[in-house]
Amino acid sequence: MRGPTSAKMVFQVSALVWILFAMPGNGAEPAKTKPAAPPDGERGGRLLTRIRHTSSQSYTRVTMELSTEVPYEIHFLKEEPGHQLPPRIYVDLLQTRLGMDSSQPILVEDRLLRQVRVGQFAPNVVRVVLDLRSVSRHRAFLLPDPYRLVVDIHAGGNGTGLAALEKRHSLPAPPMPQIPVAGLRKIVLDPGHGGKDPGAIGIGGVAEKDIVLRIAKKLANKLKREMGVQVVLTRQDDTFVPLEDRTAMANAEEADLFVSLHTNASPNPGTRGIETYYLDNTSDEASILLAARENGTSRRNISDLQFILSDLTQNSKLEDSITLAHRLQSSLVSQLGHRYGDVKNLGVKKALFYVLVGARMPSVLSELLFITNKVEARTLTQRAYQDAIVEGLFNGIKKYHESLLVVKNL
Ligand SMILES: [Zn+2]
């Protein structure tokens, strides 16, 4: 059988355009689109399966979960008061079908985003429309394993020079809004992994997720008690939290620091030591492999991401992140070396950790010893040694804080 005539096709597409662009807000006329039946031979093809969001006053992250890699376009549409249409960002997921319910808009109702509407715009194009409160900055990136398209929306942007219809994803990311340096008010600690993701499993079956949660909780208490800062943990217990939700949490909390805690692993049982990372492209093979493992992705996907992220990393708080990484690393090494002698300093390094992508504050990831080394795995489970690690991390954050105050008072 042949497809519909071109006249019918135009009508169908026009009707969908109306639904997606002209639908009044708050569900007055919900879009009635349904997931398209998969054409023969395309079952298991590209699907949009879920949309979730994280909100705060000045930041919203929308994550679109996909069944596989999807080509996409992002456009911005300015407000059309005559048609009672707000400024909108719309994302076209190409060669993709709906794998989720789209009968109702997803209400967000935060300071930046009113709602998200989804529809099968054309037989092979899913359109996701973000109805904004006002013109906002945005940027997007695709993460693999599982594939998800992340759109970050930030307050600000006056829309000057924005065309009515503008392709945005090929342009350089707009500069990040500057958050004034005023010491440390709030810190987000991120105990790596959790739930179905145990992280690295070490000697004697000890799991990375359990060690880092214990250390994060101890560190949180110490920071609150002795520095008087607010501390937020990305997980309080043994639950799974997607990597991009952890950064989103830190952004939504408007935290001043983001510290992700992990233990290292190596096929070589003799490998040991401490290293601290900040987010940047790298050509170092060991760092690429480590990031691939922590990201739960393949080495090839890391290489692809290096290119995709090239414009995302340059706007991050790179200098402050490097300073923080050095403070933490030297403090950890001196604390553990002082108490326990021989601790190998593997230094400050850079790699593409998904959990750091899009963070709006200085952010680092510490690899606290090798869980695959017999001696280090044993010490990681000992309370006194965990306390020494906490002390090292605490001192590093404190020194970083002091250096901020010095700069502020210059
Ligand atoms: Zn890890």
Side-chain angles (χ1 to χ4, degrees):
M1 250 186 74
R2 294 197 159 269
T5 65
S6 54
K8 273 183 192 163
M9 183 75 91
V10 168
F11 171 75
Q12 286 169 348
V13 170
S14 303
L16 280 165
V17 168
W18 185 87
I19 287 168
L20 287 171
F21 281 163
M23 188 186 81
N26 296 331
E29 176 78 39
K32 293 284 193 274
T33 48
K34 286 184 177 171
D40 288 345
E42 276 191 32
R43 281 174 205 282
R46 296 183 172 96
L47 288 175
L48 170 65
T49 54
R50 189 183 166 208
I51 295 179
R52 52 181 211 277
H53 61 88
T54 306
S55 296
S56 73
Q57 299 236 328
S58 61
Y59 166 81
T60 304
R61 172 168 281 185
V62 177
T63 302
M64 301 166 206
E65 296 184 1
L66 304 160
S67 63
T68 184
E69 187 169 12
V70 163
Y72 68 96
E73 291 180 2
I74 291 205
H75 306 260
F76 175 80
L77 289 171
K78 67 181 181 184
E79 188 178 7
E80 295 170 54
H83 296 93
Q84 294 187 318
L85 289 171
R88 287 144 288 160
I89 295 165
Y90 73 90
V91 182
D92 278 348
L93 304 168
L94 309 177
Q95 299 156 37
T96 303
R97 289 175 294 105
L98 266 176
M100 57 177 278
D101 177 37
S102 64
S103 58
Q104 297 289 331
I106 300 162
L107 296 181
V108 179
E109 301 291 4
D110 66 14
R111 294 280 286 264
L112 300 173
L113 184 60
R114 285 178 51 214
Q115 60 180 9
V116 180
R117 293 173 289 140
V118 191
Q120 189 75 46
F121 176 69
N124 60 351
V125 178
V126 170
R127 176 161 290 181
V128 180
V129 183
L130 312 180
D131 287 327
L132 304 171
R133 296 260 178 221
S134 60
V135 175
S136 308
R137 303 161 197 255
H138 68 275
R139 61 183 187 181
F141 51 92
L142 191 65
L143 297 178
D145 297 326
Y147 275 95
R148 60 267 198 212
L149 180 63
V150 180
V151 180
D152 278 345
I153 304 166
H154 302 280
N158 56 16
T160 308
L162 286 176
L165 183 67
E166 185 184 7
K167 262 193 187 183
R168 297 284 291 177
H169 76 287
S170 59
L171 299 176
M176 299 290 285
Q178 290 295 309
I179 299 167
V181 174
L184 294 184
R185 187 185 44 88
K186 191 186 281 187
I187 297 172
V188 169
L189 297 179
D190 173 44
H193 314 278
K196 66 184 181 185
D197 171 17
I201 301 291
I203 306 280
V206 57
E208 176 183 359
K209 66 174 182 178
D210 297 327
I211 300 286
V212 293
L213 181 61
R214 250 171 271 156
I215 290 172
K217 283 186 164 178
K218 287 183 183 194
L219 178 59
N221 286 336
K222 192 171 171 68
L223 286 165
K224 281 187 233 173
R225 202 173 53 235
E226 296 180 31
M227 271 180 73
V229 292
Q230 297 175 56
V231 183
V232 176
L233 294 177
T234 55
R235 63 181 178 97
Q236 295 279 352
D237 49 28
D238 186 20
T239 37
F240 176 77
V241 182
L243 294 173
E244 65 276 14
D245 287 8
R246 298 168 187 247
T247 334
M249 208 182 288
N251 288 345
E253 291 282 350
E254 297 181 2
D256 302 305
L257 284 189
F258 179 80
V259 180
S260 190
L261 300 172
H262 293 256
T263 61
N264 222 326
S266 169
N268 177 358
T271 306
R272 60 193 180 86
I274 292 180
E275 55 194 10
T276 302
Y277 283 83
Y278 59 91
L279 178 73
D280 206 346
N281 288 324
T282 182
S283 56
D284 176 59
E285 188 61 25
S287 299
I288 291 172
L289 288 173
L290 172 67
R293 184 168 58 71
E294 295 291 15
N295 294 341
T297 190
S298 68
R299 195 211 166 290
R300 183 186 65 80
N301 278 334
I302 289 279
S303 303
D304 291 349
L305 200 67
Q306 300 236 87
F307 174 73
I308 296 164
L309 288 186
S310 57
D311 70 323
L312 288 177
T313 51
Q314 67 193 14
N315 289 310
S316 61
K317 303 241 166 197
L318 190 58
E319 267 182 52
D320 287 342
S321 297
I322 295 171
T323 305
L324 174 63
H326 279 281
R327 295 275 189 269
L328 286 181
Q329 177 69 15
S330 63
S331 178
L332 279 165
V333 168
S334 75
Q335 183 67 30
L336 295 179
H338 178 66
R339 287 213 203 170
Y340 297 95
D342 187 25
V343 173
K344 198 166 182 189
N345 184 357
L346 300 173
V348 168
K349 299 176 179 176
K350 53 186 183 171
L352 288 176
F353 292 99
Y354 293 176
V355 74
L356 303 181
V357 172
R360 300 175 71 199
M361 68 292 303
S363 54
V364 297
L365 183 147
S366 281
E367 293 282 353
L368 309 162
L369 304 173
F370 280 76
I371 206 166
T372 44
N373 175 276
K374 200 173 168 186
V375 175
E376 296 197 343
R378 193 173 59 237
T379 51
L380 274 169
T381 59
Q382 292 170 358
R383 183 182 293 180
Y385 206 94
Q386 287 177 1
D387 289 345
I389 291 174
V390 167
E391 192 76 28
L393 290 164
F394 175 83
N395 289 342
I397 291 172
K398 203 168 154 208
K399 280 183 187 145
Y400 175 80
H401 182 213
E402 284 160 5
S403 65
L404 285 186
L405 295 177
V406 169
V407 171
K408 193 185 157 204
N409 292 328
L410 280 178

